[in-house]
Amino acid sequence: MNTKTHIALVSIPIYSHLRSILEFSKRLVHLHQDIHVTCIIPTTGSICSNTKALVESLPSSIDYMFLPPPNLDDLPQDFHPALLVLVATSRSMQSIDDALKKIHSRSSLVAIVCDGLITQVLYLSKKLNISSFIYFPSNMMLLSLVLYSPKMDETMTCEYRDLLEPLELPGCVPIDGKDLPEPLQDRSGEEYKVFIEGNKRFYLADGVLVNSFIDMEAETIRVLHEEGNKIPYAYAIGPFIQKGSSRRDESCLRWLDEQEDNSVLYISFGSGGALSQDQLNELAWGLELSGQKFIWVLRSPSKFGFVNDLSLANEDPLQFIPSGFLERTKDQGLVVPYWAPQIEILSHSAIGGFISHCGWNSTLESVVNGVPMITWPLFAEQKMNAAILSKGLKVAVRPKVNEKGIVEREEVAMVIKNIMVGEEGKGIRQRMKELKDAADNAVKQDGSSTRTLAELVLKWKSLGVAQCN
């Protein structure tokens, strides 16, 4: 007789979100071997190679199923990729409902955990009379914004980008209105309406599982917990990061082996980040001007700020960098088209800094490896993450942008030298080391995140006992 406690997870078809929730799943079943997980994954089309590699590496105690893509033929060819995901997940709700009912009929579920961007699932869990939780792959500061934004919507009248003073979310570092996520930048737009409606649904959840840890956001966690039953309980159970890559670029790692400790700057904009052509040019010139060693994961420019599926890339990104750049910097740096083994790179002793888009996965990978950061946010909540890192934790520097939103080459060179060899960089390096140690401690056997996860599992098991009775 199967006595395992069964949990269903519902992800969204965004690689970074899926990767995070699967890392949570793997740690969950590793620490608690009497837990069984089934992950339901909506799709927007063919399944990319990166996603296939993720799910094929899962342990036997984690099942997964890909749902058939919904009909999206009515959408325009140049439909924004972020909106495409929201439409696809919305149109997949019947398939998700059918999958949950089927799983529940075979092996009674004790809880459903859904990604924070697909909270419509919470209604389905209520129909099945099953406890529901949200997996939040970002941080407590963004969760605070999500939970308090419906109240902000009722009490504030101006556009948030026009606020004269920084916004002070409870327990968080003050943040400029222009640094709030894109859906909040136009309160008359459809994205804003969808954002607020989705945030209101958070209050249907029995709890929110957050990929963060106490020492990283202690004050925010304290304030959220003081709210008691007014808001869903926030479980700080991270950091969850990918342990290693299934693919290796030996030439890239061999090049790093030849460099001095802490001498190389790593530049990458996540699993899908991309710069405009003008910004790509300025970054290239800034790298060259800085004189610092670098390894740059280069992608073709994009009008959206990100690309969809790296496995489908068919352009040579090297054609977009300034003429002669590779020849002039052949002894200074290494340019890697499209993809590099980020986990192995960030853990390499030669790496001394990281220019990052500040996606939360990349942020945590940098923290876990103790690598100081230069924040270069592109979209989503990344500007908020940059504020946490630079103004709150002070483990990063943030370059200034001009009136066109471009970081100019002189600014690029200055912040690079600052973080790699400057006096400010020394202090940042020490603070990042302390944060790394805290992250290590959080996931130890008696660490704060491990204990919090154990409390959550105990709750789930008690729900299973109640079902049997």
Side-chain angles (χ1 to χ4, degrees), residues 165-222:
E165 298 292 334
L167 181 66
E168 297 195 18
L169 295 165
C172 301
V173 60
I175 184 165
D176 293 334
K178 60 182 173 51
D179 281 344
L180 294 175
E182 289 166 340
L184 293 180
Q185 296 304 321
D186 179 8
R187 297 181 68 179
S188 63
E190 185 64 22
E191 281 186 86
Y192 178 80
K193 179 182 176 182
V194 171
F195 186 76
I196 296 299
E197 288 177 351
N199 295 349
K200 289 178 180 178
R201 288 194 292 268
F202 269 65
Y203 285 83
L204 298 172
D206 295 297
V208 184
L209 322 183
V210 186
N211 192 11
S212 188
F213 57 100
I214 288 177
D215 287 295
M216 192 166 192
E217 300 186 273
E219 183 62 12
T220 309
I221 293 170
R222 183 189 68 79

Side-chain angles (χ1 to χ4, degrees), residues 41-151:
I41 309 168
T43 62
T44 58
S46 59
I47 301 165
C48 72
S49 58
N50 290 351
T51 299
K52 288 179 182 177
L54 274 182
V55 297
E56 288 171 358
S57 66
L58 293 173
S60 59
S61 50
I62 300 177
D63 294 328
Y64 65 91
M65 62 174 70
F66 289 107
L67 300 180
N71 189 338
L72 302 172
D73 292 343
D74 58 315
L75 301 181
Q77 287 291 323
D78 60 347
F79 198 64
H80 196 291
L83 296 178
L84 176 69
V85 169
L86 294 179
V87 172
T89 52
S90 177
R91 295 183 182 182
S92 296
M93 292 311 299
Q94 185 58 56
S95 295
I96 294 170
D97 191 19
D98 292 342
L100 287 171
K101 288 176 181 176
K102 187 175 182 179
I103 296 168
H104 190 43
S105 66
R106 292 179 174 178
S107 173
S108 295
L109 295 170
V110 299
I112 298 172
V113 182
C114 67
D115 185 279
L117 290 182
I118 192 169
T119 50
Q120 300 95 319
V121 171
L122 300 172
Y123 294 129
L124 306 181
S125 66
K126 300 303 178 188
K127 283 169 51 180
L128 293 171
N129 197 27
I130 301 173
S131 292
S132 57
F133 295 79
I134 293 170
Y135 180 76
F136 202 66
S138 191
N139 51 60
M140 291 286 180
M141 182 177 183
L142 182 60
L143 177 60
S144 180
L145 174 67
V146 164
L147 294 174
Y148 291 107
S149 61
K151 184 176 180 180

